[in-house]
Amino acid sequence: MQAVRLLGANRLELQYVPTPAPGAREVLIKVEACGICGSDRHMYAGEYPTSTPVTLGHEFAGTVIELGSGVERIRVGQRVTGDPNIACGTCAQCREGRVNLCVMLTAIGVRRDGGFAEYLVMPEGQAHVLPDDLDPAHGAFSEPLACCLHGLDVARIRPGGSVAIFGGGVIGLLMAQLCRLAGATTVILSTRQQPRRDLALRLGATHAVDPNAGDAVAQIRDIVAGGVDVALECAGVPQTFAQSIAAVRRGGAVVIFGVMPQGQAVEVTPFDLLVNEVRLEGAYLNPLTHARAAAMIAAGTLALDPLVSRIVSLAEVPSIIANPPAQGEIKIVARP
Ligand code: NAP
């Protein structure tokens, strides 16, 4: 079968490899869609640890075509999405349900072969069933959506509340929709590209701010006097980290969701956090949120088509991952 293989830093190739066979309690799926994520670019550049060689792709959906021994819950022919993150289930964090913090966490498309391939094997427990007639490209959004749901859980958005989202990539645009569904009445998205601001407003954001048109924090505080209840940092740059802290009200919460390079330091002023009782918390991956993400996608709760910029073949994936995202593009989905 064809698979996009990471062979080492800056070495990504479409290759022919043997089709995998499912082992005990594993399922073989025919991959029908796999989203390209910014993390794939970090793995390609050697900035995020992976096994090599490995097939990349951790945002996938497909149809089950073969079962290994002992599989009980999944049937051949079902359309599924996969939670790529596999926890050990026995460490201290796993035993209190914080599986994203598992000390032995491994992931499909990172440490074992992933979805930029014609077929993929995964443990039965990672599979979540989707409706048979669902667009597989929508199924591929389950993983980023599951991460966003954890971000929302950490943020504790309340009906009637206000939120500022920094960064209008696919994450920020999913977050804007989720914040409205969670009942926030003011959802402000700050991002530099005009088409993304327009799209955010179409998808449910109540306000869109251009950080290049003046001080983003001042613009947000003009909309919500005293600052917003919650800031979601979804850009992963020092500037938006500082803006997130400055945009929240006294007693507000800042969720660090965007990924800054490991070792990147930023300035914080502990006195301000202290006297304003700002809650500053990270939200990492998708602890036990994949089922809810799959349920939302199955129910068609979110507008996903406007987030899909291009559908591409496996052959196009290496050059897309090896290059920076083009201006205006949101999510590229590969269809083997
Ligand atoms: P993305 O496409 O890179 O989106 C981030 C966007 O932020 C950029 O495209 C950019 O859009 C905007 N931005 C950059 N500088 C800005 C600034 N100064 N002010 C306002 N906006 C700015 O990435 P994504 O896929 O949406 O993901 C967002 C972040 O979440 C990434 O860091 C990703 O690694 C991370 N992530 C985290 C988790 C987790 O579990 N915590 C899961 C998935 C992804 P404009 O050009 O329009 O400004």
Side-chain angles (χ1 to χ4, degrees):
M1 66 168 189
Q2 288 189 318
V4 176
R5 305 281 285 167
L6 182 69
L7 307 175
N10 301 312
R11 290 174 60 212
L12 189 63
E13 286 177 13
L14 183 70
Q15 293 187 339
Y16 281 91
V17 296
T19 302
R25 307 216 53 195
E26 289 184 333
V27 297
L28 175 68
I29 73 163
K30 180 170 173 30
V31 181
E32 291 160 326
C34 188
I36 296 176
C37 165
S39 313
D40 295 316
R41 292 194 169 90
H42 290 300
M43 290 181 228
Y44 167 78
E47 295 164 356
Y48 190 92
T50 67
S51 302
T52 48
V54 73
T55 302
L56 295 186
H58 56 276
E59 300 180 357
F60 54 86
T63 296
V64 177
I65 58 165
E66 193 181 329
L67 306 179
S69 62
V71 172
E72 290 174 353
R73 194 175 52 87
I74 301 291
R75 294 189 312 277
V76 167
Q78 283 183 318
R79 175 157 282 146
V80 293
T81 160
D83 174 357
N85 297 306
I86 304 173
C88 75
T90 59
C91 72
Q93 288 70 240
C94 282
R95 285 157 71 103
E96 62 168 26
R98 304 186 74 182
V99 292
N100 57 325
L101 304 181
C102 170
V103 289
M104 287 185 286
L105 194 70
T106 187
I108 300 168
V110 182
R111 294 277 182 195
R112 53 182 281 168
D113 290 336
F116 294 130
E118 292 176 80
Y119 302 93
L120 169 155
V121 158
M122 68 175 156
E124 173 190 19
Q126 303 303 121
H128 294 261
V129 177
L130 296 170
D132 291 345
D133 59 354
L134 189 96
D135 180 348
H138 290 189
F141 277 89
S142 306
E143 195 274 344
L145 178 59
C147 294
C148 290
L149 285 173
H150 177 49
L152 233 69
D153 291 346
V154 170
R156 294 185 232 142
I157 286 158
R158 294 181 302 177
S162 55
V163 186
I165 300 165
F166 294 87
V170 67
I171 295 294
L173 293 167
L174 286 171
M175 288 290 204
Q177 298 188 58
L178 291 174
C179 290
R180 288 308 300 274
L181 287 168
T185 41
T186 305
V187 175
I188 307 163
L189 186 125
S190 174
T191 202
R192 295 165 304 180
Q193 295 179 46
Q194 173 79 48
R196 290 176 170 194
R197 294 197 298 276
D198 295 343
L199 181 56
L201 293 171
R202 288 211 306 278
L203 296 178
T206 55
H207 302 78
V209 159
D210 177 0
N212 288 339
D215 180 356
V217 174
Q219 294 182 68
I220 290 165
R221 283 177 168 267
D222 275 348
I223 298 164
V224 182
V228 290
D229 299 330
V230 172
L232 300 175
E233 199 298 297
C234 301
V237 295
Q239 195 182 11
T240 50
F241 176 82
Q243 289 168 348
S244 297
I245 293 174
V248 292
R249 64 169 170 80
R250 301 192 76 186
V254 174
V255 176
I256 306 167
F257 195 91
V259 180
M260 274 188 232
Q262 200 173 9
Q264 169 85 59
V266 292
E267 271 190 19
V268 291
T269 314
F271 181 85
D272 294 345
L273 297 179
L274 171 75
V275 299
N276 293 318
E277 284 202 353
V278 170
R279 179 165 63 89
L280 181 60
E281 209 170 331
Y284 180 54
L285 301 178
N286 57 342
L288 308 180
T289 52
H290 208 95
R292 280 194 286 148
M296 291 186 87
I297 283 172
T301 317
L302 298 166
L304 300 174
D305 285 334
L307 306 183
V308 179
S309 306
R310 271 197 289 161
I311 301 281
V312 301
S313 67
L314 282 183
E316 294 169 89
V317 170
S319 70
I320 292 170
I321 291 179
N323 289 292
Q327 181 86 354
E329 276 188 334
I330 301 175
K331 175 62 75 183
I332 300 175
V333 177
R335 277 218 156 132

